Amino acid sequence: MSTTAIFGCTGLVGSHILSTLLSPSNSSQPIQTISRRAPKSSGVNLQATVESDTTQWASKLASLTPPPQTVISSLGTTRAAAGGIANQWKIDHDLNVEIAEQAKKSGVKTFVFVSSAGTRGMLSGPVPYSQMKRGVEDKIKELDFQQAIILRPGLIMGEREVPHQGAWLMMGLAGGIGRFLGQGAKDAVGQDAEVIARAAVHAARIADEGKAPEKYWILEGKDIVRLGRTEWKE
């Protein structure tokens, strides 16, 4: 796989993306990260940049050597962690847009963004979280990358360093659905973080090979499960 830069590498999905790319089965191409704190994963191919000031991330991206051909962003926070909607917007929307714009200027070929399911439904229109995700998706499409990949997972299953409010209840509900109705029903509600991460990496590999089905490729829940679990190969 081509040189790849990851944003959100210390989060639930992003940490799995990083560990997947650093696994022995992957190529020896550099894996670059830009984050506020050092990632937990390590490897000889990892080039980790730690920068606490997120306003500097775009310029850090521009100065990476070698320049990445692929950028993957699973960057995001919560209203509670950010201290309000306005601050969450600065990360989930503004920072992702800034990263995408700089990636385009820097000649990045493939941009992968982990978005969210249900953000374009009729009832989600006025919801700030949905507006953030839609805004980033629309900007990525507008920038006209050689290849854009948008993942829209449902409930993200996995253990977070800082639990989201109510997450334990939602994951318990999804687990109950899986026990009583089967894996397929659980997959329709949410996907494991590792599966989402593997789907992002798998899709980027397909794009690298020039085999992506669409220039602006959207992966919904069933596509994520297929690429991240059913068709996944180490």
Side-chain angles (χ1 to χ4, degrees):
M1 193 166 152
S2 61
T3 302
T4 302
I6 307 170
F7 290 87
C9 67
T10 61
L12 180 55
V13 174
S15 60
H16 281 290
I17 292 172
L18 178 57
S19 62
T20 299
L21 286 172
L22 289 173
S23 66
S25 60
N26 276 292
S27 71
S28 59
Q29 294 292 337
I31 306 301
Q32 303 157 327
T33 62
I34 299 175
S35 55
R36 282 182 284 198
R37 53 191 172 90
K40 288 186 175 181
S41 295
S42 60
V44 295
N45 301 326
L46 177 61
Q47 299 176 0
T49 299
V50 176
E51 174 54 71
S52 60
D53 183 359
T54 58
T55 65
Q56 299 299 312
W57 284 10
S59 62
K60 295 290 185 183
L61 172 58
S63 64
L64 289 177
T65 304
Q69 296 299 296
T70 299
V71 168
I72 303 176
S73 178
S74 60
L75 186 63
T77 186
T78 64
R79 178 172 57 182
I85 287 291
N87 287 332
Q88 184 185 10
W89 191 283
K90 292 176 183 177
I91 301 296
D92 281 48
H93 179 273
D94 295 351
L95 185 53
N96 272 307
V97 166
E98 188 177 5
I99 290 166
E101 289 175 335
Q102 183 58 62
K104 180 65 176 181
K105 292 177 184 175
S106 298
V108 168
K109 293 181 179 179
T110 300
F111 196 93
V112 183
F113 176 58
V114 180
S115 185
S116 181
T119 58
R120 293 187 182 270
M122 184 169 57
L123 297 179
S124 64
V127 178
Y129 179 77
S130 298
Q131 293 174 345
M132 297 175 206
K133 297 301 183 184
R134 288 199 308 269
V136 179
E137 289 185 17
D138 292 346
K139 173 54 70 172
I140 292 169
K141 187 172 186 178
E142 176 189 314
L143 288 170
D144 195 31
F145 287 93
Q146 182 173 312
Q147 178 67 60
I149 301 168
I150 307 295
L151 286 83
R152 294 177 179 167
L155 176 66
I156 300 176
M157 311 283 287
E159 187 175 347
R160 301 176 186 271
E161 289 186 1
V162 180
H164 288 184
Q165 186 176 13
W168 64 271
L169 179 62
M170 294 299 295
M171 285 194 289
L173 177 61
I177 289 172
R179 286 191 295 273
F180 287 102
L181 299 178
Q183 185 66 49
K186 180 182 176 183
D187 289 339
V189 175
Q191 298 82 44
D192 290 334
E194 185 176 43
V195 172
I196 299 166
R198 287 176 170 179
V201 172
H202 193 171
R205 286 176 182 166
I206 291 171
D208 253 10
E209 296 167 358
K211 297 179 180 178
E214 299 172 88
K215 182 174 181 177
Y216 186 74
W217 187 14
I218 297 174
L219 303 180
E220 304 287 359
K222 65 181 185 303
D223 306 306
I224 291 169
V225 170
R226 175 175 58 82
L227 291 179
R229 190 174 68 215
T230 308
E231 298 179 1
W232 174 256
K233 295 180 181 179
E234 291 290 354

